[in-house]
Amino acid sequence: MKMKMKNDLIDFQKFIDGDKSVFEKIINKYKPYVYTICISILKNKEDSEEVLQDIFVKIYFSLNKFKGKSSLKTWIYKITYNSCLERLKKNKKRLEIDSKLNEGYINEEDSISFNLFDIDERIRILRESLTELKPVESMVLTFFYLEELSIKEIVEITSIVNPTIKTILHRGRKNLLKKFKLKSKKNGVQ
């Protein structure tokens, strides 16, 4: 075990000294372990593969910050764990946005069309649709759904009274859905 740690430190020092080719050795050594952690946390092959790439990019650009207070393996696993948690938070936020937008405003037929897009595509289309709304609708919907501000906070920020904010939210959701339907038809989803 100590020999492995010593080899890691030798590789680490070579990297710091400018031998960037040693990074491939680090990737090959840790990739299976990092991927296993990703799969166990994320439970999704595509997310795990994407996060795996992100992790090694982070490691590459952070390796010179490694202090050696723990083993390189522990340090890499910590980056892996934190990256997976970030992805879970990101996925959760996307799902919350989807469900909030679906709540009582998208009927079953629209929901099926909406769900035919992957999450990134939905977010892209929704953001595009938001830019086509009246500025006040776009702003209030963005504050409420994307920034997750309460109506009270939106009132404080905008100085628009509570009932008006609720009306803008209601009208904005309807207009957003219309824009989304148009965009989904243009993208080949009926």
Side-chain angles (χ1 to χ4, degrees), residues 109-128:
E109 182 181 310
D110 295 331
S111 181
I112 290 167
S113 296
F114 188 72
N115 290 325
L116 288 175
F117 294 105
D118 68 19
I119 290 173
D120 289 330
E121 185 67 7
R122 286 184 230 170
I123 298 294
R124 185 189 65 75
I125 290 172
L126 287 170
R127 287 190 188 277
E128 280 179 16

Side-chain angles (χ1 to χ4, degrees), residues 136 139-140 154-162 164-165 168:
V136 71
M139 174 194 61
V140 171
I154 298 170
V155 167
E156 287 176 27
I157 292 168
T158 63
S159 299
I160 300 172
V161 294
N162 186 314
T164 305
I165 293 292
I168 293 169

